Amino acid sequence: IHGLPLLLSNPEGWARAVKPAWESMSDRTVMARYVTEHWDTVQALSRHNLLGGAGSEYIEGMQKGGLLNKTFAGLSQIGSDSGPVGRGALAPLRMVGGTAQTAMGKIETQFDSFLLAAKVEMWEGMEPSFRAAAAAKGISGGKFPEKELAEHVSKMTGTLNLNNMGMSPTLQQAAGGFLMFAPKYRLATYGVMIDVFRRNVRGELARKSLGRMVAGGMAMYLAAGYALNQAPNLDPRSSKFLTYDIGGQSIGIGSAW
């Protein structure tokens, strides 16, 4: 879902982001080469704190401090300090735990690699039009509002850095635990919607990006209906608006779209 805005607005950029992300699951040097090839863009992302601390709640919850990872780590060690009989009897559980840890690590690597590549591709795809829009308003050179482009990229990839917003760790935990599911993704989505009404360069970029998303998403929805041999539901008053019947359930594109 984090890559859907890029897919709908820049399919070629999405494909370029997916390729190294999948390859990184078997070869960790892939992303090192990718970063080297796009070093200027990575530096720009780093200047605005869009690398560390700006990932996905789903993946951060799986990492070393997450419950799943702790469970599998414990399972991989179960019975290791027992006698020969205990170690032998519990060997299958240790194997399951070790295998699960390895699989989780590959998922983390793939997803984090995709997020980085998606930010790079979105930045490089949008920067020319962003600079042109800024120049049209008489903004260029050292006055180029790079921070606004960075904020737009973070919102469009659903990885808003809550630290950049001045939100304390305690408040971040409260937002995730009590106020909303996946606060980074939701706040990023709401932020793009708000930007649409701004009368500045960021607002112009948000309108263009969301316009492409709407057009791309509608094309995808209509194509899916044709493949399923179902009539599209284009009535916004209906609870089944922009969905199709899949196994008795109303299923739509979902996510920020």
Side-chain angles (χ1 to χ4, degrees):
I1 61 175
H2 288 264
L4 189 60
L6 180 61
L7 171 61
L8 297 178
S9 60
N10 183 359
E12 292 182 358
W14 180 85
R16 288 194 296 269
V18 167
K19 184 176 183 293
W22 279 106
E23 291 176 346
S24 69
M25 295 181 73
S26 58
D27 183 0
R28 288 180 176 269
T29 65
V30 168
M31 286 309 294
R33 293 195 297 271
Y34 183 87
V35 167
T36 300
E37 293 168 1
H38 300 270
W39 182 241
D40 290 343
T41 304
V42 172
Q43 282 187 310
L45 293 171
S46 180
R47 280 196 296 272
H48 300 284
N49 201 20
L50 294 187
L51 299 181
S56 160
E57 286 94 349
Y58 316 115
I59 295 302
E60 289 175 1
M62 290 165 53
Q63 290 171 344
K64 291 184 178 179
L67 179 60
L68 278 176
N69 211 303
K70 287 181 178 178
T71 300
F72 293 138
L75 198 60
S76 67
Q77 299 297 319
I78 192 169
S80 58
D81 56 353
S82 304
V85 176
R87 284 198 299 272
L90 297 173
L93 290 179
R94 290 198 301 276
M95 184 180 296
V96 170
T99 302
Q101 269 194 301
T102 301
M104 296 287 275
K106 289 184 178 296
I107 292 172
E108 291 171 22
T109 298
Q110 187 274 331
F111 199 94
D112 286 338
S113 297
F114 174 74
L115 279 182
L116 173 58
K119 291 174 187 177
V120 168
E121 296 296 338
M122 186 170 287
W123 182 288
E124 293 180 353
M126 291 182 170
E127 186 177 15
S129 59
F130 193 81
R131 286 188 177 277
K137 296 181 181 294
I139 305 172
S140 60
K143 295 182 180 180
F144 174 65
E146 189 179 79
K147 183 179 179 182
E148 293 199 13
L149 177 58
E151 288 185 9
H152 184 73
V153 168
S154 71
K155 290 172 182 176
M156 288 293 286
T157 52
T159 56
L160 193 65
N161 193 321
L162 301 184
N163 294 326
N164 287 354
M165 298 174 61
M167 188 177 290
S168 69
T170 301
L171 187 55
Q172 291 180 34
Q173 290 180 348
F178 302 103
L179 302 180
M180 62 180 72
F181 176 70
K184 289 181 184 178
Y185 185 79
R186 287 184 176 273
L187 290 174
T189 301
Y190 300 151
V192 175
M193 294 178 178
I194 292 172
D195 286 346
V196 168
F197 300 99
R198 297 183 186 276
R199 302 182 64 182
N200 56 15
V201 179
R202 196 197 315 175
E204 186 173 335
L205 198 60
R207 288 188 288 274
K208 286 182 178 179
S209 297
L210 288 186
R212 290 172 185 162
M213 271 190 68
V214 170
M218 183 60 69
M220 183 185 294
Y221 174 72
L222 295 175
Y226 180 80
L228 294 169
N229 196 28
Q230 293 186 31
N233 187 327
L234 302 178
D235 184 0
R237 299 169 299 177
S238 170
S239 61
K240 298 182 179 181
F241 178 52
L242 295 179
T243 66
Y244 291 116
D245 182 77
I246 309 291
Q249 300 289 324
S250 295
I251 306 296
I253 295 177
S255 73
W257 196 89

